[in-house]
Amino acid sequence: MIEPQIPCPRCGSFTSVEKVFCVRCGSRVIPLTEYDLTASDFIYPPDESALESFREFKPLSPLINELILKRYVRALFSRLEGGLAEISLSSEVGSIIRECGIILGLRSLPRSYLLKSDKPLAFTFGTGKSDYLFLSSGLLDLLDDRELRAAIGHELGHVKCGHSIYHTIAGVLTSGIELSLGLMGGALSSISSPMLRLMLLSWHRDSEISADRAGLIVANDPGKVISLLRKLHREPPEPGELLGEILSTHPTYEDRVKRVSEYYRSADYHAVKRKVERRLRLSKALSPVCRFCGGSKPLTSIFCPSCGRSQL
Ligand SMILES: [Zn+2]
Ligand SMILES: [Zn+2]
Ligand SMILES: [Zn+2]
């Protein structure tokens, strides 16, 4: 048996097909298929309808400007710098990120960083086109393996649902007026920013419920999601801290536990679980090259047209 390698469509480096994502840049090397999860398989319905209305809400569109958001992302980076190290996708934590990305069917993996801080922190932000995941060293110390999966699954759930751009806008709006005005320029003066802020903050709670569902999907154990929530809930963010205000708009611990437990018992969750199991079972077959003869094959076909062997 050979270990077929294919070039990454973004950076060109060769990755073995079973890794699904390029270990260098996080791009998908195996395209998404009908077997992969979609956001609508698990998204919390009020979150989905809020996202639809954001997309239609005209005053928001000048804010969804890649340039403005990139400047904000850069400003956040410069504040974090010093205590940051990029997480390699071939490291232990990197392989958990990859596995979560396979289960959730991400289009590409966010660039991931380890933040040196005793506080247990996990957050994502970005523009939707480029997303960033941050995990703190305090978080890695506090969580066991399955809780860490649930935490990473939660963050990647935000990416999968397309939350990052709106979280970033909310971050811009709550990060201090000088920063917001400086970055947003004229865009903000044309709309009522307190209204926008309220809208984004109230949606934020619903977006957390979708992300908790994603955490449950990858951990497949409500006990681990609940112990993760309990551990993180002991550490309320300080007001005025980076992203503190956004974090404080999370639903209460009790509410999140209740909703995760309800979702775990639902028919929707069981359907998602079956879909994930089937996707993982088919992993060896979902490839553009045969794992025996290296010849090219249709992405989803189980038998190789050249050598006739089953990929499973
Ligand atoms: Zn790449
Ligand atoms: Zn979250
Ligand atoms: Zn073959």
Side-chain angles (χ1 to χ4, degrees), residues 290 292-294 304 306-307:
C290 170
F292 300 101
C293 72
C304 168
S306 313
C307 71

Side-chain angles (χ1 to χ4, degrees), residues 207-218:
S207 80
E208 289 311 316
I209 302 202
S210 300
D212 283 344
R213 289 181 170 192
L216 176 63
I217 291 165
V218 302

Side-chain angles (χ1 to χ4, degrees), residues 90 214 219:
S90 3

Side-chain angles (χ1 to χ4, degrees), residues 100-164:
C100 292
I102 293 171
I103 291 174
L104 295 173
L106 289 202
R107 210 158 278 288
S108 69
L109 297 178
R111 285 208 99 91
S112 306
Y113 295 88
L114 180 68
L115 183 64
K116 287 188 194 83
S117 165
D118 293 338
K119 288 184 190 139
L121 297 168
F123 56 91
T124 32
F125 61 79
T127 61
K129 280 188 189 137
S130 22
D131 292 314
Y132 304 90
L133 165 69
F134 294 86
L135 304 169
S136 71
S137 45
L139 182 85
L140 300 190
D141 292 341
L142 182 69
L143 304 182
D144 73 24
D145 258 29
R146 305 275 300 281
E147 290 161 347
L148 181 61
R149 280 176 75 92
I152 292 173
H154 175 104
E155 294 307 323
L156 297 191
H158 282 310
V159 173
K160 176 70 178 180
C161 295
H163 293 156
S164 29

